[in-house]
Amino acid sequence: MYSEQFQKSLALVEAAREKNLAMEPERMTAEQKEQVLSAVHPDYREDQFEALKIGPNAGDRVPHELADMLQAHSRITADSVDLSKPDYDIDVLIIGGGGAGTAAAIEAHRAGASVMIVTKLRMGDANTMMAEGGIQAADKPNDSPAIHFVDAFGGGHFAAKRELLAKLVCDAPEAIAWLSDLGVEFDKDEDGTMITTHGGGTSRKRMHAAKDYSGAEIMRTLRDEVLNLGIPVVDFTSAIELILDDRGNAAGAVLMNMETKDLLVARAKTVIIATGGAGRMHYQGFPTSNHYGATADGLVLGYRAGAKLLYAETLQYHPTGVAYPSQIFGALVTEKVRSLGAKLVNKNGEVFMHPLETRDVTAASVIRECNERGNGVETGNGEGIWLDTPMIEMIGGEGTIEKRIPAMMRMFAKYGIDIRREPILIYPTLHYQNGGLDINVNGETTNVKNLFVAGEAVGGIHGKNRLMGNSLLDIIVFGRNAGVHAAEAAKETEPGALTLDHVAAFEKEIADAGIETTAVSPKLLPNYTKQPNI
C-alpha cells in the first residue's frame, strides 16, 4: 500500500503532466554544472577518498574501498606456485569473457594467434550483457566523428586522452558495420535504415540500439562467434595474479578454479585484461547496476604488476537507478527512457532540469533535489525522483514503450507497475568505472610491455565522465584493437623465465609503508553475508 505522501505526490505528477510535457527546460550553463557537481556529486566528497601509499600511483587519491584492494596482500606468495610446468601455453591470454574480451578474442584468432579466454563466471556474465540503451556512432549524413569527439570530450570534462578518444569516434562507424555483419539485430526503419536517437550530452542522434537490450544482443552475437570459431573458454576460473618474465614483461597469469580453489598456470606471450568494472565494490554504499563479478579485479592485477592507473578516482553514478520497488533497487533504468521523452519530476510535480544533461550532472541534480532541497519521494530505501514515463506514449503514440523499451516495461510489470500509465521512481546507482589502467593507442599499458587492456578496465578513453552509448562502443573498438595488437606482439615475443618476483616486491612495499591489513585481493566476488571474503 502506497503511503499518503507517496499518493499525494503521484497525484501532483499526474495533474501537471500536460503542462510539464509542453515545457522546454533550459540547459545548464558550464558554471551551473560545476556548481552542482562540486556541491553534491560523490566524486567530490573528499572524506570518501585517500591517497595511495604504494605502487606506481602513490600519492594519488582513490576511493577508500579501492585503496583497500590495491594495497592488500596477494592471494599467493611468490614461491607458492610452480611456474615451471604451465597448464596452458598460448599466444594470447584474455582475462574476462564480456564484450571487450570476446571482441579481442575474435580479432586475435583471426590474426592467427592461439587464444584462450579465462573468466571467473561464464562467458557473457558481464556488464555488457546488462547494457540497455545503445551504442554511439557518427554514421549519419548530419554527423561526423569530429562532432562525436567534441560531444564526448566536453562530456568528459576535457580530460580524455585525445588519441584514445579520437580512435574511439573514428572507428565507431566501422564497429557498427562489424557488429551488423556478425548478426547484431539493430533497430531499423522499414527501408533498412538504422534508427538513431539522442543520449545525454549528444548534439546529434547517433545512438544505435536493439530495443532496450542492446548489450544483451551484442553479447549474444559475440559469444556465438567465439563458440563458432572454437576459441577455448575456461569458465568459473579467475586470474588472481599476473605472471611476468625475467625482463618484466607480462607473460601469463596464475588462475584459480572458483569452486575447488585449485591453482593453474597459464603461460602466454601477451595478456589482455578485460575484467570490466567495479560496481560490486559499492563505493560510498551506493547500490549498483553491475553484474555480480564487477569487483575491479583487473585494476588490482595490473597495479600489483606495475601498471599505472588513470582517473581511478572517478566513477559514474547513473542518474536513473530504480529507487522503488525494493526488489529491483539499484537496477538500471536506461537513459533511453529519457531520450524517448520522459522527464524528471520532483515530489511537487515540478520538472527541475533538462532530462538529457550529461550523466554526472543529472545524477548530481537528482541527489541535490532529494538531499538539499527536500523534494524527493520517500521510498522505503531512501528517497527518489519521478521519471514520468507516460510522457513517452503521449509523444510517440500508444505502443511506443512496448516497441522501444520492452525490457523496462516487463521489469516493472513484474511488480504491478505499468510504466505506460504511471511514472517510476529513480535515484542514482553506481554504474561505471571511468578510470582504469593507462594504455597507449595500441591498447598496451604504458609501462608494462605485452600487457594490453580493453573495456571498462581502461582509464582515459572517456575522461572523467562517460556519455551514454560510448561504453558499448569502447568494448568493440578497443577490444578489437587489443586483440589485433596483442596477436601482432605475440608473433615477435618469446617470454623469458616466468616469475612472481613482483608479488614479493609488492609485499615489501606494504611492509615498508607500514600498511597494516588482513585484506587479500583481487576481491573476486562481493560478500553479502557476515562470513569472511572468499
Side-chain angles (χ1 to χ4, degrees), residues 206-255:
R206 69 172 72 94
M207 203 69 56
H208 302 67
K211 295 184 170 57
D212 58 345
Y213 41 80
S214 305
E217 171 63 9
I218 288 171
M219 192 68 248
R220 174 196 68 81
T221 306
L222 295 175
R223 183 176 56 230
D224 284 354
E225 185 68 6
V226 167
L227 295 174
N228 289 340
L229 293 174
I231 296 170
V233 179
V234 183
D235 286 329
F236 299 110
T237 300
S238 182
I240 60 169
E241 203 64 65
L242 291 179
I243 297 170
L244 304 181
D245 67 12
D246 53 8
R247 297 186 292 271
N249 302 333
V254 177
L255 314 177

Side-chain angles (χ1 to χ4, degrees), residues 93-105:
L93 173 66
I94 299 172
I95 303 171
T102 50

Side-chain angles (χ1 to χ4, degrees), residues 490-529:
K491 293 175 183 177
E492 303 171 356
T493 298
E494 187 56 45
L498 303 186
T499 173
L500 290 170
D501 289 349
H502 66 285
V503 175
F506 200 81
E507 282 295 321
K508 185 176 185 304
E509 284 193 64
I510 292 173
D512 290 348
I515 297 171
E516 296 183 4
T517 179
T518 58
V520 296
S521 64
K523 189 173 187 175
L524 301 184
L525 294 174
N527 182 9
Y528 296 116
T529 73

Side-chain angles (χ1 to χ4, degrees), residues 137-148 173 189 191 193-196 203-206 208:
D139 58 0
K140 292 293 179 72
N142 70 332
D143 203 358
S144 71
I147 299 173
H148 189 177
D189 287 326
D191 65 359
T193 302
M194 289 193 189
I195 297 171
T196 52
S203 61
R204 300 290 189 275
K205 292 182 177 180
R206 69 172 72 94
H208 302 67

Side-chain angles (χ1 to χ4, degrees), residues 97-100 102-103 106 122-131 178-188 209-211 213-229 472 475-476:
T102 50
I106 291 165
R122 300 166 301 179
M123 181 171 54
D125 287 338
N127 285 346
T128 303
M129 191 71 183
M130 306 173 80
W178 185 78
L179 288 171
S180 185
D181 288 345
L182 283 179
V184 172
E185 295 287 346
F186 288 110
D187 295 340
K188 297 174 183 175
K211 295 184 170 57
Y213 41 80
S214 305
E217 171 63 9
I218 288 171
M219 192 68 248
R220 174 196 68 81
T221 306
L222 295 175
R223 183 176 56 230
D224 284 354
E225 185 68 6
V226 167
L227 295 174
N228 289 340
L229 293 174
L472 282 180
I475 65 172
I476 302 304

Side-chain angles (χ1 to χ4, degrees), residues 136-458:
Q136 286 202 47
D139 58 0
K140 292 293 179 72
N142 70 332
D143 203 358
S144 71
I147 299 173
H148 189 177
F149 182 98
V150 170
D151 287 348
F153 197 50
H157 301 285
F158 307 99
K161 291 181 74 168
R162 288 172 179 264
E163 65 274 22
L164 299 185
L165 183 55
K167 182 169 185 61
L168 181 77
V169 301
C170 290
D171 288 7
E174 203 273 329
I176 294 292
W178 185 78
L179 288 171
S180 185
D181 288 345
L182 283 179
V184 172
E185 295 287 346
F186 288 110
D187 295 340
K188 297 174 183 175
D189 287 326
E190 290 182 2
D191 65 359
T193 302
M194 289 193 189
I195 297 171
T196 52
T197 58
H198 272 300
T202 62
S203 61
R204 300 290 189 275
K205 292 182 177 180
R206 69 172 72 94
M207 203 69 56
H208 302 67
K211 295 184 170 57
D212 58 345
Y213 41 80
S214 305
E217 171 63 9
I218 288 171
M219 192 68 248
R220 174 196 68 81
T221 306
L222 295 175
R223 183 176 56 230
D224 284 354
E225 185 68 6
V226 167
L227 295 174
N228 289 340
L229 293 174
I231 296 170
V233 179
V234 183
D235 286 329
F236 299 110
T237 300
S238 182
I240 60 169
E241 203 64 65
L242 291 179
I243 297 170
L244 304 181
D245 67 12
D246 53 8
R247 297 186 292 271
N249 302 333
V254 177
L255 314 177
M256 184 181 76
N257 182 293
M258 293 292 287
E259 181 178 8
T260 66
K261 304 300 184 286
D262 289 342
L263 298 182
L264 302 164
V265 172
R267 178 182 183 269
K269 295 176 180 178
T270 58
V271 177
I272 300 175
I273 289 177
T275 51
R280 293 290 166 172
M281 299 286 280
H282 292 292
Y283 297 120
Q284 301 187 35
F286 271 79
T288 186
S289 62
N290 284 189
H291 81 104
Y292 193 60
T295 51
D297 295 358
L299 274 58
V300 171
L301 295 176
Y303 194 70
R304 198 145 53 217
K308 291 181 180 178
L309 301 174
L310 185 62
Y311 303 144
E313 77 283 8
T314 64
L315 286 304
Q316 183 165 91
Y317 298 82
H318 196 292
T320 56
V322 175
Y324 179 89
S326 59
Q327 295 96 323
I328 49 174
F329 181 58
L332 184 65
V333 176
T334 172
E335 194 167 306
K336 191 173 182 181
V337 175
R338 285 176 285 139
S339 74
L340 289 173
K343 291 179 181 176
L344 295 159
V345 184
N346 66 24
K347 73 175 184 181
N348 303 315
E350 302 162 338
V351 172
F352 60 93
M353 66 173 298
H354 193 285
L356 289 178
E357 296 284 6
T358 55
R359 283 180 172 177
D360 55 349
V361 171
T362 307
S365 299
V366 170
I367 292 170
R368 180 176 64 179
E369 198 70 13
C370 291
N371 297 357
E372 292 193 355
R373 296 178 174 174
N375 290 331
V377 180
E378 178 56 47
T379 68
N381 286 313
E383 292 189 337
I385 289 293
W386 295 107
L387 183 56
D388 202 359
T389 49
M391 288 183 171
I392 296 172
E393 302 263 297
M394 294 170 71
I395 294 169
E398 187 176 349
T400 300
I401 285 177
E402 187 170 8
K403 180 180 179 181
R404 301 296 297 278
I405 47 172
M408 285 291 97
M409 190 180 80
R410 289 195 299 269
M411 181 171 74
F412 281 94
K414 288 179 182 178
Y415 305 99
I417 298 171
D418 185 347
I419 69 173
R420 297 169 297 185
R421 294 174 176 81
E422 54 187 307
I424 57 180
L425 282 164
I426 59 86
Y427 192 80
T429 186
L430 185 53
H431 182 60
Y432 190 80
Q433 176 180 270
N434 286 321
L437 295 163
D438 191 9
I439 63 169
N440 61 28
V441 76
N442 290 336
E444 190 173 28
T445 58
T446 54
N447 56 332
V448 179
K449 188 174 174 56
N450 292 337
L451 179 62
F452 295 78
V453 192
E456 199 170 340
V458 174

